[in-house]
Amino acid sequence: MRIAIAQINCTVGDLSGNALRILEFAERARALGADLLLTPELSICGYPPEDLLLRDDFCAACQREVERLAARVQGIDVLVGHPHVQEGRRYNAASLLRGGRLAGTYHKRDLPNSEVFDEERYFESGSGALVFDVAGTMVGVNICQDVWGPERAFATGKPLRASPGERQAPKAARAAGAQVLVVLNASPYHLGKQRTRHEVVRGCVLEAGMPVVFCNWVGGQDELVFDGQSFVMDVRGAVTQQLRAFEEDLAVVEFRGAEPVPGPVAPELSVEAAVYKALTLGVRDYVGKNGFPGALIGLSGGIDSALTVCVAADALGPERVHAVMMPSQFTASISLEDARVIVARLGVRYSEIAIRPVFDSFLAALAPEFKDRPFDTTEENIQSRIRGTLLMALSNKFGSIVLTTGNKSEMSTGYATLYGDMAGGFDVLKDITKGMVYRLARYRNTVCEVIPERVIARPPSAELRPNQTDQDSLPPYDVLDAIVQRYVEQDRSIDEIVREGFPRADVERVVKLLHVSEYKRRQAPVGIRITPRGFGKDWRFPITNKFRGGL
């Protein structure tokens, strides 16, 4: 038996385009001698389709596309993921396309409803099993959460439902005669995710007593990035084959009976390389799938914008990136010099637009209202909003999307200006702490040196007043990032964080800033999720909220 894994990049809602992609991979797999092609979860419609699933016309169109695809597939069986409506109930399904028709359909049994998943909003839980013969070996089908089981937990490690060892779907497949389990997945990336997948699937393999072929999505979908890394695990829990990370891939797995023959195992990426690839893939797909001709970035000479323009150039090609430096009277000469070095090394388009004349005009217009009041954050924010207005004007005129440059440390504490540096369409670094920004900058320079060393070495500054540094307003970034990680990603209390040795004053300050900034984050652009909990689908705190965690 030969099973082909189609690790493909589909687009939500592009039903015909996704079907053509599946057909192309099916033809390639057939040419390689495969008997069965395995595609990812909901491959016909893209994942996650969210409230499109509530539309009857969408689900009907998906079903028609699956039936059309079945009629076009020749010489190979295909498992395709799609929404399926049966007797008025909607299921997350996988259908076997064989002989020009749908030869069987499986309904996902265990629906995730945690982290970024809310499938219980859309689907009913299935029952039963789908097992079929492929070249003399019985193959069973599961979908994603089915093999994770009810013990799946948040990043905090707190259990969501029942105790471990209750994976009913793999056991049902085994009881129905399956010798090999194939699993369609839409498992998004975050730090450490592949290690977790291996651990979970190993538990499934040891419980069910059969090897697993795990086919995962690859590509960007709004804030989510899917990293692929599809793999095969034998009955002893060893990974015998693994596909590439963050790239489309096709691999054929050969079985002798029910035992997978070892194949190529793609090398594991370093943390920095994996995160950087996730960012570039997220930008490429968000810009490309939404039809933007390119990207605009406000370049400051600082490390956040330097890293953002590197990611954009690597994702889109330098010819599709326009960096704009907008100096004021507070901009240091080295910031201008460093910005010019960065764009020259990358080869992106570069413009300079001085904002002082506009700033002076604003101050003159506001002078009667601001009479006798000192310079403060109001004037600082005006500068940021002028820059945001200029970038959005260029975006409107030429169609490119503005990529904002705020990192997770800043988004946590509100160290950003509404309608200023937050103005734009996509925040590349939204889930990247300041510490990780530095690590990624150094990593990018190992590929080829782009970011001048002094950009990395000098204290970060918004340069909105004389001699300003970020640490004037925030705790040291190593302290800030550690507190944010514990409070945001792990749901630790203030007292728990203090007991780990962090100064109570710093913890309380960060928590207070985090809560009072919720209204800002709700208006921020979507950004790429990298950690187990970002400020997006899995962060749903009320804006109007008096709870401050013990403050």
Side-chain angles (χ1 to χ4, degrees), residues 471-493:
Q471 307 301 181
D472 298 337
S473 307
L474 299 172
Y477 275 118
D478 57 343
V479 174
L480 170 61
D481 291 349
I483 294 170
V484 167
Q485 181 185 41
R486 286 158 175 78
Y487 194 83
V488 173
E489 297 172 23
Q490 300 172 2
D491 282 331
R492 304 277 184 87
S493 69

Side-chain angles (χ1 to χ4, degrees), residues 38-52:
L38 180 61
T39 70
E41 181 177 7
L42 293 182
S43 51
I44 204 70
C45 64
Y47 191 94
E50 299 184 307
D51 279 10
L52 285 171

Side-chain angles (χ1 to χ4, degrees), residues 161-238:
R161 286 176 282 196
S163 59
E166 297 183 9
R167 297 178 177 91
Q168 297 302 318
K171 291 179 180 179
R174 180 69 170 174
Q179 298 168 278
V180 174
L181 187 66
V182 296
V183 187
L184 294 74
N185 298 273
S187 178
Y189 170 77
H190 64 64
L191 290 164
K193 187 64 171 288
Q194 185 70 350
R195 182 176 63 252
T196 302
R197 293 186 193 117
H198 285 169
E199 292 171 356
V200 167
V201 174
R202 186 169 293 115
C204 173
V205 162
L206 297 176
E207 283 181 25
M210 55 184 165
V212 166
V213 182
F214 185 103
C215 177
N216 193 28
W217 263 81
V218 68
Q221 172 58 32
D222 296 344
E223 72 191 66
L224 301 180
V225 173
F226 297 87
D227 54 317
Q229 300 197 84
S230 305
F231 62 91
V232 182
M233 188 172 285
D234 66 19
V235 291
R236 292 167 292 280

Side-chain angles (χ1 to χ4, degrees), residues 262-529:
V265 176
E268 185 176 350
L269 300 173
S270 69
V271 170
E272 294 80 8
V275 171
Y276 196 86
K277 279 184 173 288
L279 296 179
T280 55
L281 180 56
V283 169
R284 184 182 304 119
D285 277 1
Y286 193 86
V287 173
K289 291 180 179 181
N290 285 294
F292 293 104
L296 281 157
I297 296 131
L299 200 58
S300 68
I303 193 166
D304 294 319
S305 63
L307 179 61
T308 301
V309 76
C310 287
V311 171
D314 291 341
L316 307 174
E319 70 282 355
R320 297 179 64 195
V321 178
H322 184 184
V324 185
M325 181 71 173
M326 295 166 283
S328 74
Q329 63 268 43
F330 305 116
T331 302
S333 60
I334 60 171
S335 295
L336 272 168
E337 293 166 6
D338 291 340
R340 292 166 183 164
V341 168
I342 292 167
V343 296
R345 289 175 175 175
L346 287 172
V348 303
R349 182 183 173 192
Y350 177 65
S351 302
E352 291 182 6
I353 304 174
I355 69 165
R356 183 164 188 173
V358 185
F359 182 52
D360 289 343
S361 296
F362 269 66
L363 294 186
L366 290 165
E369 301 293 333
F370 287 1
K371 185 178 180 180
D372 299 326
R373 291 181 177 270
F375 186 107
D376 59 16
T377 54
T378 304
E379 285 78 7
E380 294 179 26
N381 288 339
I382 287 172
Q383 296 168 69
S384 182
R385 289 177 178 133
I386 290 169
R387 292 181 171 122
T389 299
L390 292 173
L391 287 172
M392 289 308 302
L394 292 169
S395 176
N396 289 161
K397 186 65 70 175
F398 300 105
S400 292
I401 186 173
V402 175
L403 301 181
T404 62
T405 62
N407 60 61
K408 188 171 189 174
S409 307
E410 295 168 345
M411 291 298 103
S412 297
T413 55
Y415 197 70
T417 302
L418 269 177
Y419 326 121
D421 56 327
M422 291 174 66
F426 197 62
D427 187 349
V428 179
L429 308 180
K430 187 174 182 179
D431 203 27
I432 303 292
T433 62
K434 193 72 170 187
M436 180 58 77
V437 169
Y438 283 106
R439 291 171 62 182
L440 293 177
R442 293 197 180 280
Y443 163 76
R444 181 59 181 81
N445 275 357
T446 67
V447 178
C448 64
E449 188 171 356
V450 174
I451 303 172
E453 178 59 30
R454 68 181 180 183
V455 173
I456 299 173
R458 67 188 175 111
S461 171
E463 294 191 329
L464 298 173
R465 65 173 184 268
N467 303 314
Q468 182 184 32
T469 67
D470 291 1
Q471 307 301 181
D472 298 337
S473 307
L474 299 172
Y477 275 118
D478 57 343
V479 174
L480 170 61
D481 291 349
I483 294 170
V484 167
Q485 181 185 41
R486 286 158 175 78
Y487 194 83
V488 173
E489 297 172 23
Q490 300 172 2
D491 282 331
R492 304 277 184 87
S493 69
I494 289 174
D495 289 341
E496 287 174 321
I497 299 171
V498 170
R499 282 197 294 270
E500 290 190 48
F502 293 92
R504 179 171 289 275
D506 285 343
V507 178
E508 291 184 349
R509 181 183 179 193
V510 170
V511 170
K512 180 178 180 181
L513 288 170
L514 194 145
H515 281 290
V516 300
S517 301
E518 186 62 35
Y519 81 101
K520 281 189 180 182
R521 284 190 295 272
R522 197 69 67 89
Q523 300 178 68
V526 65
I528 302 165
R529 177 180 182 259

Side-chain angles (χ1 to χ4, degrees), residues 34 65 78 95 169 219 239 243 283 358:
E65 199 64 55
V78 176
S95 287
V239 174
L243 280 63
V283 169
V358 185

Side-chain angles (χ1 to χ4, degrees), residues 3-7 25 36-39 213-216 230-232 241 243 249-253:
I3 297 178
I5 302 172
Q7 183 173 287
F25 272 70
L36 171 69
L37 180 74
L38 180 61
T39 70
V213 182
F214 185 103
C215 177
N216 193 28
S230 305
F231 62 91
V232 182
Q241 196 164 338
L243 280 63
D249 209 352
L250 176 68
V252 175
V253 186

